[in-house]
PDB file of all heavy atoms in Angstrom:
ATOM      1  N   PRO Y  31      65.138 110.054 121.451  1.00 75.00           N
ATOM      2  CA  PRO Y  31      63.891 110.534 120.875  1.00 75.00           C
ATOM      3  C   PRO Y  31      62.711 110.071 121.724  1.00 75.00           C
ATOM      4  O   PRO Y  31      62.845 109.192 122.562  1.00 75.00           O
ATOM      5  CB  PRO Y  31      63.866 109.872 119.507  1.00 75.00           C
ATOM      6  CG  PRO Y  31      64.652 108.625 119.682  1.00 75.00           C
ATOM      7  CD  PRO Y  31      65.692 108.928 120.716  1.00 75.00           C
ATOM      8  N   THR Y  73      72.225 129.899 125.389  1.00 87.00           N
ATOM      9  CA  THR Y  73      71.649 129.793 124.053  1.00 87.00           C
ATOM     10  C   THR Y  73      71.581 131.168 123.412  1.00 87.00           C
ATOM     11  O   THR Y  73      72.201 132.116 123.885  1.00 87.00           O
ATOM     12  CB  THR Y  73      70.218 129.221 124.090  1.00 87.00           C
ATOM     13  OG1 THR Y  73      69.433 130.070 124.918  1.00 87.00           O
ATOM     14  CG2 THR Y  73      70.180 127.814 124.584  1.00 87.00           C
ATOM     15  N   TYR Y  77      65.644 132.506 122.092  1.00 88.00           N
ATOM     16  CA  TYR Y  77      64.883 131.530 122.887  1.00 88.00           C
ATOM     17  C   TYR Y  77      64.622 132.082 124.278  1.00 88.00           C
ATOM     18  O   TYR Y  77      65.501 132.701 124.872  1.00 88.00           O
ATOM     19  CB  TYR Y  77      65.663 130.216 123.010  1.00 88.00           C
ATOM     20  CG  TYR Y  77      66.020 129.643 121.676  1.00 88.00           C
ATOM     21  CD1 TYR Y  77      67.293 129.837 121.156  1.00 88.00           C
ATOM     22  CD2 TYR Y  77      65.101 128.911 120.952  1.00 88.00           C
ATOM     23  CE1 TYR Y  77      67.636 129.325 119.923  1.00 88.00           C
ATOM     24  CE2 TYR Y  77      65.442 128.394 119.718  1.00 88.00           C
ATOM     25  CZ  TYR Y  77      66.712 128.600 119.208  1.00 88.00           C
ATOM     26  OH  TYR Y  77      67.030 128.104 117.996  1.00 88.00           O
ATOM     27  N   LYS Y  95      62.126 124.627 116.856  1.00 89.00           N
ATOM     28  CA  LYS Y  95      62.549 124.617 115.457  1.00 89.00           C
ATOM     29  C   LYS Y  95      62.003 125.829 114.711  1.00 89.00           C
ATOM     30  O   LYS Y  95      62.674 126.381 113.840  1.00 89.00           O
ATOM     31  CB  LYS Y  95      62.097 123.323 114.778  1.00 89.00           C
ATOM     32  CG  LYS Y  95      63.035 122.180 115.119  1.00 89.00           C
ATOM     33  CD  LYS Y  95      62.536 120.872 114.608  1.00 89.00           C
ATOM     34  CE  LYS Y  95      63.506 119.767 114.973  1.00 89.00           C
ATOM     35  NZ  LYS Y  95      62.901 118.442 114.816  1.00 89.00           N
ATOM     36  N   GLN Y  99      64.260 129.077 113.014  1.00 88.00           N
ATOM     37  CA  GLN Y  99      64.206 129.622 111.660  1.00 88.00           C
ATOM     38  C   GLN Y  99      63.878 131.111 111.644  1.00 88.00           C
ATOM     39  O   GLN Y  99      64.432 131.869 110.872  1.00 88.00           O
ATOM     40  CB  GLN Y  99      63.112 128.907 110.851  1.00 88.00           C
ATOM     41  CG  GLN Y  99      63.402 127.461 110.598  1.00 88.00           C
ATOM     42  CD  GLN Y  99      62.170 126.758 110.063  1.00 88.00           C
ATOM     43  OE1 GLN Y  99      61.841 126.875 108.900  1.00 88.00           O
ATOM     44  NE2 GLN Y  99      61.487 126.052 110.924  1.00 88.00           N
ATOM     45  N   TYR Y 146      57.030 122.120 111.212  1.00 89.00           N
ATOM     46  CA  TYR Y 146      57.841 123.325 111.391  1.00 89.00           C
ATOM     47  C   TYR Y 146      58.434 123.823 110.082  1.00 89.00           C
ATOM     48  O   TYR Y 146      59.055 124.861 110.038  1.00 89.00           O
ATOM     49  CB  TYR Y 146      58.959 123.064 112.408  1.00 89.00           C
ATOM     50  CG  TYR Y 146      59.701 121.793 112.137  1.00 89.00           C
ATOM     51  CD1 TYR Y 146      60.726 121.765 111.204  1.00 89.00           C
ATOM     52  CD2 TYR Y 146      59.382 120.618 112.800  1.00 89.00           C
ATOM     53  CE1 TYR Y 146      61.400 120.595 110.934  1.00 89.00           C
ATOM     54  CE2 TYR Y 146      60.045 119.444 112.534  1.00 89.00           C
ATOM     55  CZ  TYR Y 146      61.048 119.446 111.599  1.00 89.00           C
ATOM     56  OH  TYR Y 146      61.704 118.291 111.323  1.00 89.00           O
ATOM     57  N   TYR Y 196      71.779 135.401 116.768  1.00 89.00           N
ATOM     58  CA  TYR Y 196      73.226 135.608 116.887  1.00 89.00           C
ATOM     59  C   TYR Y 196      73.623 136.283 118.188  1.00 89.00           C
ATOM     60  O   TYR Y 196      74.775 136.564 118.401  1.00 89.00           O
ATOM     61  CB  TYR Y 196      73.726 136.439 115.697  1.00 89.00           C
ATOM     62  CG  TYR Y 196      73.787 135.623 114.434  1.00 89.00           C
ATOM     63  CD1 TYR Y 196      72.700 135.521 113.592  1.00 89.00           C
ATOM     64  CD2 TYR Y 196      74.946 134.921 114.112  1.00 89.00           C
ATOM     65  CE1 TYR Y 196      72.741 134.749 112.459  1.00 89.00           C
ATOM     66  CE2 TYR Y 196      75.001 134.151 112.967  1.00 89.00           C
ATOM     67  CZ  TYR Y 196      73.896 134.072 112.147  1.00 89.00           C
ATOM     68  OH  TYR Y 196      73.952 133.290 111.018  1.00 89.00           O
ATOM     69  N   PRO Y 198      74.109 135.950 122.008  1.00 89.00           N
ATOM     70  CA  PRO Y 198      74.152 134.918 123.051  1.00 89.00           C
ATOM     71  C   PRO Y 198      73.391 135.355 124.303  1.00 89.00           C
ATOM     72  O   PRO Y 198      73.330 136.547 124.613  1.00 89.00           O
ATOM     73  CB  PRO Y 198      75.640 134.747 123.341  1.00 89.00           C
ATOM     74  CG  PRO Y 198      76.287 135.970 122.824  1.00 89.00           C
ATOM     75  CD  PRO Y 198      75.425 136.548 121.763  1.00 89.00           C
ATOM     76  N   SER Y 285      88.613  83.676 121.967  1.00 86.00           N
ATOM     77  CA  SER Y 285      88.040  84.265 120.754  1.00 86.00           C
ATOM     78  C   SER Y 285      86.601  83.833 120.498  1.00 86.00           C
ATOM     79  O   SER Y 285      85.980  84.317 119.568  1.00 86.00           O
ATOM     80  CB  SER Y 285      88.876  83.892 119.536  1.00 86.00           C
ATOM     81  OG  SER Y 285      90.198  84.279 119.731  1.00 86.00           O
ATOM     82  N   TRP Y 290      77.493  83.575 120.869  1.00 90.00           N
ATOM     83  CA  TRP Y 290      77.416  82.426 119.965  1.00 90.00           C
ATOM     84  C   TRP Y 290      77.324  81.131 120.772  1.00 90.00           C
ATOM     85  O   TRP Y 290      76.424  80.322 120.580  1.00 90.00           O
ATOM     86  CB  TRP Y 290      78.622  82.399 119.026  1.00 90.00           C
ATOM     87  CG  TRP Y 290      78.567  81.267 118.044  1.00 90.00           C
ATOM     88  CD1 TRP Y 290      77.443  80.803 117.417  1.00 90.00           C
ATOM     89  CD2 TRP Y 290      79.654  80.464 117.585  1.00 90.00           C
ATOM     90  NE1 TRP Y 290      77.782  79.760 116.582  1.00 90.00           N
ATOM     91  CE2 TRP Y 290      79.129  79.540 116.669  1.00 90.00           C
ATOM     92  CE3 TRP Y 290      81.025  80.457 117.860  1.00 90.00           C
ATOM     93  CZ2 TRP Y 290      79.935  78.605 116.017  1.00 90.00           C
ATOM     94  CZ3 TRP Y 290      81.819  79.544 117.202  1.00 90.00           C
ATOM     95  CH2 TRP Y 290      81.273  78.616 116.293  1.00 90.00           C
ATOM     96  N   GLU Y 303      65.040  68.827 120.601  1.00 73.00           N
ATOM     97  CA  GLU Y 303      65.170  68.776 119.148  1.00 73.00           C
ATOM     98  C   GLU Y 303      66.281  67.818 118.682  1.00 73.00           C
ATOM     99  O   GLU Y 303      66.109  67.042 117.753  1.00 73.00           O
ATOM    100  CB  GLU Y 303      65.456  70.188 118.645  1.00 73.00           C
ATOM    101  CG  GLU Y 303      65.497  70.344 117.155  1.00 73.00           C
ATOM    102  CD  GLU Y 303      64.112  70.536 116.560  1.00 73.00           C
ATOM    103  OE1 GLU Y 303      63.241  71.046 117.287  1.00 73.00           O
ATOM    104  OE2 GLU Y 303      63.911  70.174 115.395  1.00 73.00           O
ATOM    105  N   TYR Y 304      67.447  67.898 119.322  1.00 73.00           N
ATOM    106  CA  TYR Y 304      68.594  67.107 118.867  1.00 73.00           C
ATOM    107  C   TYR Y 304      68.899  65.955 119.830  1.00 73.00           C
ATOM    108  O   TYR Y 304      69.984  65.394 119.808  1.00 73.00           O
ATOM    109  CB  TYR Y 304      69.822  67.997 118.697  1.00 73.00           C
ATOM    110  CG  TYR Y 304      69.555  69.134 117.733  1.00 73.00           C
ATOM    111  CD1 TYR Y 304      69.152  70.377 118.206  1.00 73.00           C
ATOM    112  CD2 TYR Y 304      69.672  68.935 116.362  1.00 73.00           C
ATOM    113  CE1 TYR Y 304      68.872  71.406 117.324  1.00 73.00           C
ATOM    114  CE2 TYR Y 304      69.395  69.957 115.481  1.00 73.00           C
ATOM    115  CZ  TYR Y 304      68.990  71.181 115.950  1.00 73.00           C
ATOM    116  OH  TYR Y 304      68.712  72.188 115.078  1.00 73.00           O
ATOM    117  N   ARG Y 351      96.657  83.083 131.697  1.00 86.00           N
ATOM    118  CA  ARG Y 351      97.903  83.507 131.067  1.00 86.00           C
ATOM    119  C   ARG Y 351      98.700  84.419 132.000  1.00 86.00           C
ATOM    120  O   ARG Y 351      99.923  84.299 132.107  1.00 86.00           O
ATOM    121  CB  ARG Y 351      97.576  84.226 129.782  1.00 86.00           C
ATOM    122  CG  ARG Y 351      98.804  84.730 129.127  1.00 86.00           C
ATOM    123  CD  ARG Y 351      98.465  85.346 127.846  1.00 86.00           C
ATOM    124  NE  ARG Y 351      98.054  84.354 126.874  1.00 86.00           N
ATOM    125  CZ  ARG Y 351      98.036  84.603 125.583  1.00 86.00           C
ATOM    126  NH1 ARG Y 351      98.397  85.779 125.162  1.00 86.00           N
ATOM    127  NH2 ARG Y 351      97.677  83.693 124.744  1.00 86.00           N
ATOM    128  N   ILE Y 427      66.405 100.745 128.701  1.00 85.00           N
ATOM    129  CA  ILE Y 427      66.896 101.639 127.646  1.00 85.00           C
ATOM    130  C   ILE Y 427      65.904 101.645 126.489  1.00 85.00           C
ATOM    131  O   ILE Y 427      65.516 102.695 125.991  1.00 85.00           O
ATOM    132  CB  ILE Y 427      68.290 101.204 127.152  1.00 85.00           C
ATOM    133  CG1 ILE Y 427      69.340 101.475 128.217  1.00 85.00           C
ATOM    134  CG2 ILE Y 427      68.659 101.949 125.884  1.00 85.00           C
ATOM    135  CD1 ILE Y 427      70.715 101.019 127.833  1.00 85.00           C
ATOM    136  N   ALA Y 443      79.231 101.986 137.166  1.00 86.00           N
ATOM    137  CA  ALA Y 443      80.410 102.852 137.210  1.00 86.00           C
ATOM    138  C   ALA Y 443      81.019 102.862 138.603  1.00 86.00           C
ATOM    139  O   ALA Y 443      82.241 102.722 138.767  1.00 86.00           O
ATOM    140  CB  ALA Y 443      80.035 104.265 136.778  1.00 86.00           C
ATOM    141  N   THR Y 446      82.758  99.604 139.340  1.00 84.00           N
ATOM    142  CA  THR Y 446      84.031  99.493 138.643  1.00 84.00           C
ATOM    143  C   THR Y 446      85.108 100.303 139.354  1.00 84.00           C
ATOM    144  O   THR Y 446      86.233  99.828 139.556  1.00 84.00           O
ATOM    145  CB  THR Y 446      83.893 100.013 137.199  1.00 84.00           C
ATOM    146  OG1 THR Y 446      82.734  99.447 136.630  1.00 84.00           O
ATOM    147  CG2 THR Y 446      85.096  99.642 136.386  1.00 84.00           C
TER     148      THR Y 446
ATOM    149  N   PHE X 204      79.155 128.688 120.256  1.00 91.00           N
ATOM    150  CA  PHE X 204      77.871 129.374 120.081  1.00 91.00           C
ATOM    151  C   PHE X 204      77.706 129.870 118.648  1.00 91.00           C
ATOM    152  O   PHE X 204      76.740 129.530 117.970  1.00 91.00           O
ATOM    153  CB  PHE X 204      77.759 130.534 121.070  1.00 91.00           C
ATOM    154  CG  PHE X 204      76.510 131.343 120.892  1.00 91.00           C
ATOM    155  CD1 PHE X 204      75.328 130.929 121.466  1.00 91.00           C
ATOM    156  CD2 PHE X 204      76.511 132.489 120.117  1.00 91.00           C
ATOM    157  CE1 PHE X 204      74.169 131.651 121.284  1.00 91.00           C
ATOM    158  CE2 PHE X 204      75.350 133.222 119.930  1.00 91.00           C
ATOM    159  CZ  PHE X 204      74.172 132.802 120.523  1.00 91.00           C
ATOM    160  N   TYR X 205      78.678 130.673 118.201  1.00 91.00           N
ATOM    161  CA  TYR X 205      78.505 131.279 116.876  1.00 91.00           C
ATOM    162  C   TYR X 205      78.599 130.249 115.759  1.00 91.00           C
ATOM    163  O   TYR X 205      78.019 130.436 114.693  1.00 91.00           O
ATOM    164  CB  TYR X 205      79.507 132.413 116.671  1.00 91.00           C
ATOM    165  CG  TYR X 205      79.055 133.655 117.389  1.00 91.00           C
ATOM    166  CD1 TYR X 205      79.718 134.109 118.520  1.00 91.00           C
ATOM    167  CD2 TYR X 205      77.922 134.329 116.963  1.00 91.00           C
ATOM    168  CE1 TYR X 205      79.269 135.217 119.208  1.00 91.00           C
ATOM    169  CE2 TYR X 205      77.466 135.435 117.647  1.00 91.00           C
ATOM    170  CZ  TYR X 205      78.139 135.883 118.760  1.00 91.00           C
ATOM    171  OH  TYR X 205      77.669 136.964 119.434  1.00 91.00           O
ATOM    172  N   TRP X 211      71.634 126.012 113.995  1.00 85.00           N
ATOM    173  CA  TRP X 211      71.458 124.597 114.342  1.00 85.00           C
ATOM    174  C   TRP X 211      70.285 123.971 113.592  1.00 85.00           C
ATOM    175  O   TRP X 211      70.311 122.810 113.223  1.00 85.00           O
ATOM    176  CB  TRP X 211      71.310 124.389 115.850  1.00 85.00           C
ATOM    177  CG  TRP X 211      69.990 124.821 116.408  1.00 85.00           C
ATOM    178  CD1 TRP X 211      69.705 126.014 116.965  1.00 85.00           C
ATOM    179  CD2 TRP X 211      68.775 124.071 116.438  1.00 85.00           C
ATOM    180  NE1 TRP X 211      68.396 126.075 117.324  1.00 85.00           N
ATOM    181  CE2 TRP X 211      67.796 124.900 117.021  1.00 85.00           C
ATOM    182  CE3 TRP X 211      68.411 122.796 116.037  1.00 85.00           C
ATOM    183  CZ2 TRP X 211      66.490 124.480 117.208  1.00 85.00           C
ATOM    184  CZ3 TRP X 211      67.099 122.384 116.220  1.00 85.00           C
ATOM    185  CH2 TRP X 211      66.166 123.221 116.804  1.00 85.00           C
ATOM    186  N   TYR X 212      69.250 124.791 113.340  1.00 86.00           N
ATOM    187  CA  TYR X 212      68.109 124.237 112.622  1.00 86.00           C
ATOM    188  C   TYR X 212      68.532 123.771 111.228  1.00 86.00           C
ATOM    189  O   TYR X 212      68.174 122.687 110.775  1.00 86.00           O
ATOM    190  CB  TYR X 212      66.995 125.270 112.512  1.00 86.00           C
ATOM    191  CG  TYR X 212      65.856 124.812 111.641  1.00 86.00           C
ATOM    192  CD1 TYR X 212      64.904 123.939 112.133  1.00 86.00           C
ATOM    193  CD2 TYR X 212      65.769 125.201 110.305  1.00 86.00           C
ATOM    194  CE1 TYR X 212      63.872 123.479 111.336  1.00 86.00           C
ATOM    195  CE2 TYR X 212      64.745 124.751 109.497  1.00 86.00           C
ATOM    196  CZ  TYR X 212      63.802 123.885 110.019  1.00 86.00           C
ATOM    197  OH  TYR X 212      62.801 123.420 109.231  1.00 86.00           O
ATOM    198  N   GLU X 216      68.352 120.145 109.696  1.00 80.00           N
ATOM    199  CA  GLU X 216      67.232 119.933 108.794  1.00 80.00           C
ATOM    200  C   GLU X 216      67.421 120.571 107.418  1.00 80.00           C
ATOM    201  O   GLU X 216      66.600 120.391 106.542  1.00 80.00           O
ATOM    202  CB  GLU X 216      65.948 120.534 109.404  1.00 80.00           C
ATOM    203  CG  GLU X 216      65.725 120.152 110.843  1.00 80.00           C
ATOM    204  CD  GLU X 216      64.696 119.060 110.971  1.00 80.00           C
ATOM    205  OE1 GLU X 216      63.987 118.784 110.001  1.00 80.00           O
ATOM    206  OE2 GLU X 216      64.611 118.482 112.063  1.00 80.00           O
ATOM    207  N   ALA X 272      85.262 103.757 133.406  1.00 84.00           N
ATOM    208  CA  ALA X 272      84.425 103.425 134.556  1.00 84.00           C
ATOM    209  C   ALA X 272      83.078 102.854 134.117  1.00 84.00           C
ATOM    210  O   ALA X 272      82.444 102.129 134.862  1.00 84.00           O
ATOM    211  CB  ALA X 272      84.199 104.663 135.414  1.00 84.00           C
ATOM    212  N   ALA X 284      70.997 102.449 121.209  1.00 77.00           N
ATOM    213  CA  ALA X 284      69.576 102.137 121.338  1.00 77.00           C
ATOM    214  C   ALA X 284      68.723 103.389 121.176  1.00 77.00           C
ATOM    215  O   ALA X 284      67.563 103.303 120.808  1.00 77.00           O
ATOM    216  CB  ALA X 284      69.300 101.481 122.678  1.00 77.00           C
ATOM    217  N   ILE X 285      69.306 104.561 121.461  1.00 75.00           N
ATOM    218  CA  ILE X 285      68.478 105.760 121.417  1.00 75.00           C
ATOM    219  C   ILE X 285      68.615 106.518 120.116  1.00 75.00           C
ATOM    220  O   ILE X 285      67.928 107.502 119.898  1.00 75.00           O
ATOM    221  CB  ILE X 285      68.823 106.702 122.581  1.00 75.00           C
ATOM    222  CG1 ILE X 285      70.263 107.168 122.456  1.00 75.00           C
ATOM    223  CG2 ILE X 285      68.569 106.049 123.904  1.00 75.00           C
ATOM    224  CD1 ILE X 285      70.578 108.272 123.402  1.00 75.00           C
ATOM    225  N   ILE X 372      70.336  95.826 117.640  1.00 84.00           N
ATOM    226  CA  ILE X 372      70.535  97.243 117.914  1.00 84.00           C
ATOM    227  C   ILE X 372      71.620  97.738 116.978  1.00 84.00           C
ATOM    228  O   ILE X 372      72.572  97.020 116.688  1.00 84.00           O
ATOM    229  CB  ILE X 372      70.970  97.450 119.378  1.00 84.00           C
ATOM    230  CG1 ILE X 372      69.747  97.439 120.254  1.00 84.00           C
ATOM    231  CG2 ILE X 372      71.739  98.733 119.559  1.00 84.00           C
ATOM    232  CD1 ILE X 372      70.037  97.673 121.670  1.00 84.00           C
ATOM    233  N   SER X 388      68.462  82.681 114.712  1.00 83.00           N
ATOM    234  CA  SER X 388      68.330  81.303 115.173  1.00 83.00           C
ATOM    235  C   SER X 388      67.536  81.212 116.464  1.00 83.00           C
ATOM    236  O   SER X 388      67.050  80.159 116.835  1.00 83.00           O
ATOM    237  CB  SER X 388      69.713  80.690 115.386  1.00 83.00           C
ATOM    238  OG  SER X 388      70.307  81.282 116.516  1.00 83.00           O
ATOM    239  N   SER X 393      65.120  74.954 115.806  1.00 78.00           N
ATOM    240  CA  SER X 393      65.556  73.784 115.049  1.00 78.00           C
ATOM    241  C   SER X 393      66.477  74.154 113.889  1.00 78.00           C
ATOM    242  O   SER X 393      67.036  73.279 113.242  1.00 78.00           O
ATOM    243  CB  SER X 393      64.341  73.014 114.535  1.00 78.00           C
ATOM    244  OG  SER X 393      63.499  73.899 113.834  1.00 78.00           O
ATOM    245  N   TRP X 395      69.617  74.843 113.151  1.00 82.00           N
ATOM    246  CA  TRP X 395      70.983  74.866 113.704  1.00 82.00           C
ATOM    247  C   TRP X 395      71.950  75.608 112.797  1.00 82.00           C
ATOM    248  O   TRP X 395      72.928  76.191 113.234  1.00 82.00           O
ATOM    249  CB  TRP X 395      71.492  73.439 113.953  1.00 82.00           C
ATOM    250  CG  TRP X 395      71.469  72.583 112.718  1.00 82.00           C
ATOM    251  CD1 TRP X 395      70.471  71.773 112.324  1.00 82.00           C
ATOM    252  CD2 TRP X 395      72.474  72.495 111.704  1.00 82.00           C
ATOM    253  NE1 TRP X 395      70.772  71.178 111.141  1.00 82.00           N
ATOM    254  CE2 TRP X 395      72.000  71.599 110.737  1.00 82.00           C
ATOM    255  CE3 TRP X 395      73.728  73.078 111.519  1.00 82.00           C
ATOM    256  CZ2 TRP X 395      72.726  71.269 109.605  1.00 82.00           C
ATOM    257  CZ3 TRP X 395      74.459  72.751 110.386  1.00 82.00           C
ATOM    258  CH2 TRP X 395      73.965  71.856 109.446  1.00 82.00           C
ATOM    259  N   ALA X 398      72.612  79.231 113.541  1.00 84.00           N
ATOM    260  CA  ALA X 398      73.486  79.535 114.673  1.00 84.00           C
ATOM    261  C   ALA X 398      74.928  79.201 114.344  1.00 84.00           C
ATOM    262  O   ALA X 398      75.842  79.917 114.718  1.00 84.00           O
ATOM    263  CB  ALA X 398      73.044  78.741 115.899  1.00 84.00           C
ATOM    264  N   GLY X 402      78.021  82.300 113.555  1.00 91.00           N
ATOM    265  CA  GLY X 402      78.874  82.296 114.739  1.00 91.00           C
ATOM    266  C   GLY X 402      80.292  81.913 114.385  1.00 91.00           C
ATOM    267  O   GLY X 402      81.256  82.504 114.883  1.00 91.00           O
ATOM    268  N   ASN X 413      93.039  88.368 116.680  1.00 90.00           N
ATOM    269  CA  ASN X 413      93.725  88.112 117.949  1.00 90.00           C
ATOM    270  C   ASN X 413      95.070  87.449 117.719  1.00 90.00           C
ATOM    271  O   ASN X 413      96.072  87.792 118.362  1.00 90.00           O
ATOM    272  CB  ASN X 413      92.870  87.221 118.844  1.00 90.00           C
ATOM    273  CG  ASN X 413      91.830  88.016 119.603  1.00 90.00           C
ATOM    274  OD1 ASN X 413      91.941  89.233 119.717  1.00 90.00           O
ATOM    275  ND2 ASN X 413      90.819  87.350 120.104  1.00 90.00           N
ATOM    276  N   GLU X 417      98.651  88.897 118.693  1.00 85.00           N
ATOM    277  CA  GLU X 417      99.478  88.093 119.589  1.00 85.00           C
ATOM    278  C   GLU X 417     100.873  87.877 119.001  1.00 85.00           C
ATOM    279  O   GLU X 417     101.892  88.136 119.641  1.00 85.00           O
ATOM    280  CB  GLU X 417      98.751  86.756 119.740  1.00 85.00           C
ATOM    281  CG  GLU X 417      99.422  85.736 120.572  1.00 85.00           C
ATOM    282  CD  GLU X 417      99.127  85.975 122.022  1.00 85.00           C
ATOM    283  OE1 GLU X 417      98.081  86.555 122.304  1.00 85.00           O
ATOM    284  OE2 GLU X 417      99.972  85.589 122.842  1.00 85.00           O
TER     285      GLU X 417
END
Side-chain angles (χ1 to χ4, degrees):
Chain Y
T73 58
Y77 304 99
K95 280 173 180 165
Q99 294 168 78
Y146 48 83
Y196 285 89
S285 304
W290 182 38
E303 185 84 27
Y304 303 95
R351 178 176 290 198
I427 289 177
T446 313
Chain X
F204 176 83
Y205 282 109
W211 74 265
Y212 173 79
E216 312 258 346
I285 63 169
I372 278 182
S388 71
S393 53
W395 57 267
N413 277 343
E417 178 83 26

